[in-house]
Amino acid sequence: MDRVLKTWIAPALLGAAGLAAAPACAAKTLFFSGMTWTVRPNGQGGPRNNTWCEDNAFVDANGDLHLRISKLKGNKWCAAEIVSDLRFGYGTYQFQLKSRVDLLDRNVVLGLFNYPTADVGPDATNEIDIEFAKWGDAKADMLNYTAWPVQAALGPWGNTFPLALDGSASTHRFIWQPTYIRYQSTHGHYDDNRFPIADWTFAPADYAQRIAHAAMPVHMNLWLLAAPSNRKGVEVVVSRFTYTP
């Protein structure tokens, strides 16, 4: 698993467990799946010192979220990220996609995850990830589940699975509880795993050190390890995000 530094967090997000409202900020915002999200502003930064463009994240007339990677001048490319203006604690996090994420270029990464604010912990801690990435290796599995520990020295734990979709619709979720994290992916848009792609549970004996306890915002990002090997832009559509306590 490639360790990356995610150095940007929306200028909001404070409060106790569960849901906490965030103060207003000047950054671009989107309304998607019944809540407000802050778009990562134009600039450069981790992971992998990507260039980020606000215009590469938008919601269409049908209410679907679009995340794009677009080509700039020369050999530069621009990525996209959004972060929820609410924090979420234990519960079920579900993402419904309308794109063939099994066909992403080997240098492209789509991340669906929660991520600690500074009061929760530093980078490489607490995070719970679903990522679609081959990490530069065309022969690698595409679907990645990863749990980052409370104590950074313990290192992440995860599993990977092959991904071959039967259409553009797929559902991916993680169920975060105090003693375990269960990950599931299914063909189609369903609230259960009736057409399973993968189902994996992380339930370590030392769960207090390895599984996050504090509420965190949700991030969705689309970024690059290097320029796409196929030299093409990318667009991923997320039709819905839901959180169930």
Side-chain angles (χ1 to χ4, degrees):
M1 176 61 63
D2 182 68
R3 177 176 171 177
V4 297
L5 293 178
K6 300 181 179 72
T7 56
W8 174 80
I9 301 175
L13 313 164
L14 289 175
L19 306 181
C25 61
K28 175 182 174 180
T29 59
L30 301 175
F31 190 76
F32 170 65
S33 285
M35 65 187 72
T36 303
W37 305 71
T38 296
V39 180
R40 184 164 182 165
N42 298 335
Q44 285 188 285
R48 293 294 179 96
N49 199 35
N50 272 248
T51 299
W52 305 88
C53 292
E54 290 182 351
D55 289 344
N56 280 0
F58 65 93
V59 175
D60 66 22
N62 295 320
D64 293 336
L65 170 69
H66 295 246
L67 298 175
R68 286 179 175 170
I69 289 174
S70 59
K71 193 174 189 302
L72 304 175
K73 292 181 180 180
N75 194 36
K76 292 186 178 181
W77 297 78
C78 207
E81 181 169 4
I82 67 170
V83 55
S84 65
D85 282 5
L86 298 176
R87 290 188 182 197
F88 304 92
Y90 299 131
T92 299
Y93 297 67
Q94 181 167 282
F95 306 83
Q96 292 183 333
L97 307 182
K98 292 173 65 175
S99 295
R100 290 294 302 272
V101 291
D102 56 326
L103 303 180
L104 292 176
D105 184 84
R106 67 174 183 263
N107 291 329
V108 172
V109 182
L110 170 64
L112 311 172
F113 58 102
N114 60 14
Y115 186 76
T117 47
D119 59 306
V120 173
D123 185 73
T125 68
N126 294 280
E127 182 178 349
I128 302 171
D129 281 312
I130 299 175
E131 290 167 304
F132 304 85
K134 289 179 174 287
W135 308 108
D137 180 359
K139 297 181 180 180
D141 290 336
M142 179 67 80
L143 180 58
N144 302 258
Y145 298 149
T146 310
W148 293 82
V150 177
Q151 302 295 329
L154 295 175
W157 196 268
N159 209 343
T160 62
F161 297 87
L163 184 62
L165 297 178
D166 58 10
S168 61
S170 62
T171 301
H172 309 270
R173 70 179 66 87
F174 59 83
I175 303 164
W176 172 27
Q177 294 297 315
T179 60
Y180 70 87
I181 305 167
R182 185 177 185 182
Y183 299 82
Q184 294 181 316
S185 294
T186 183
H187 298 280
H189 289 166
Y190 300 101
D191 295 330
D192 55 32
N193 219 35
R194 68 183 65 188
F195 300 115
I197 298 167
D199 190 335
W200 179 66
T201 299
F202 177 56
D206 55 345
Y207 58 83
Q209 288 75 46
R210 290 192 179 271
I211 293 179
H213 315 303
M216 292 176 278
V218 172
H219 290 238
M220 289 185 258
N221 60 16
L222 187 66
W223 55 279
L224 291 167
L225 298 166
S229 65
N230 61 11
R231 316 303 296 174
K232 295 180 180 180
V234 181
E235 184 164 346
V236 170
V237 179
V238 184
S239 62
R240 193 181 183 202
F241 165 76
T242 57
Y243 165 74
T244 305

